[in-house]
Amino acid sequence: QIEANIDSFVKDNTLENLTLQSTNKMQRSIIVHEIAETAGLSAFSFGEEDVDRHVVVYQKEFTPVPDE
């Protein structure tokens, strides 16, 4: 499911980012971040672990700068 969501995101040139559902640490590190990197995207985790930690995937040109 995660891979399908990211694949759809890559194909839609109108979207700047994609917020994925909360996932556990293993899914985020192994699945989401690796899929995003392979697809040429940036991915960052946000939220509190075991509460609402989730990943936002960005098209490279819309990757936030450190101050954002």
Side-chain angles (χ1 to χ4, degrees):
Q1 181 65 32
I2 294 170
E3 191 169 4
N5 287 344
I6 292 175
D7 187 50
S8 294
F9 171 67
V10 169
K11 292 177 182 176
D12 188 341
N13 294 329
T14 65
L15 299 175
E16 295 180 10
N17 63 61
L18 171 67
T19 301
L20 300 170
Q21 295 179 358
S22 295
T23 57
N24 66 46
K25 188 174 185 174
M26 186 179 75
Q27 286 178 317
R28 281 193 314 275
S29 64
I30 295 174
I31 299 171
V32 178
H33 288 284
E34 285 187 17
I35 291 171
E37 184 177 328
T38 299
L41 306 169
S42 299
F44 297 95
S45 295
F46 297 96
E48 187 176 333
E49 194 67 56
D50 297 324
V51 176
D52 64 349
R53 192 82 170 160
H54 62 281
V55 176
V56 179
V57 180
Y58 297 88
Q59 299 286 357
K60 283 285 186 185
E61 61 270 20
F62 298 107
T63 301
V65 294
D67 294 340
E68 294 182 311

